[in-house]
Amino acid sequence: FQESKIKAAPFVVVFDLDETLYFQHLKPQYAACADFSSTLGNGKTNYIKKAPYAEELIRKVVALGGAVVLYTANDDSLTMRNLDNWIVDGVPL
């Protein structure tokens, strides 16, 4: 969380992660269509499918000078694991 960047931005776009920027499933049959995965603390794998053009949208907001805030009502540790594995331009989201 970089509060100073958010305060300095001319505008802020808030995205909900779940079912907006990505879809996540624990079922192995989703592995084939996943864009990336996260290993959970219980040893299970969480398969993540990014929404179409999610990364392009984030890049566009940043290119226009805006700040992006990601929101989720999901478990913080799961979300951070997912974001650590979602790489955009060589950097974890």
Side-chain angles (χ1 to χ4, degrees):
F1 184 79
Q2 297 176 336
E3 187 175 343
S4 61
K5 284 188 177 184
I6 294 169
K7 286 183 177 182
F11 66 97
V12 177
V13 177
V14 179
F15 291 108
D16 182 18
L17 284 172
D18 302 300
E19 279 68 51
T20 302
L21 290 186
Y22 66 44
F23 304 87
Q24 55 184 328
H25 303 280
L26 291 171
K27 297 177 182 176
Q29 61 262 38
Y30 290 102
C33 68
D35 292 308
F36 64 95
S37 63
S38 298
T39 302
L40 307 178
N42 60 8
K44 292 185 178 183
T45 301
N46 192 26
Y47 302 101
I48 313 289
K49 178 69 180 169
K50 296 179 284 189
Y53 303 104
E55 290 180 10
E56 289 83 353
L57 183 56
I58 291 168
R59 283 187 190 103
K60 185 68 169 183
V61 170
V62 173
L64 291 170
V68 174
V69 174
L70 302 175
Y71 166 81
T72 184
N74 209 331
D75 177 81
D76 286 345
S77 62
L78 171 63
T79 300
M80 293 311 293
R81 231 180 234 127
N82 290 344
L83 295 178
D84 282 344
N85 288 296
W86 186 351
I87 307 299
V88 178
D89 298 332
V91 179
L93 196 59

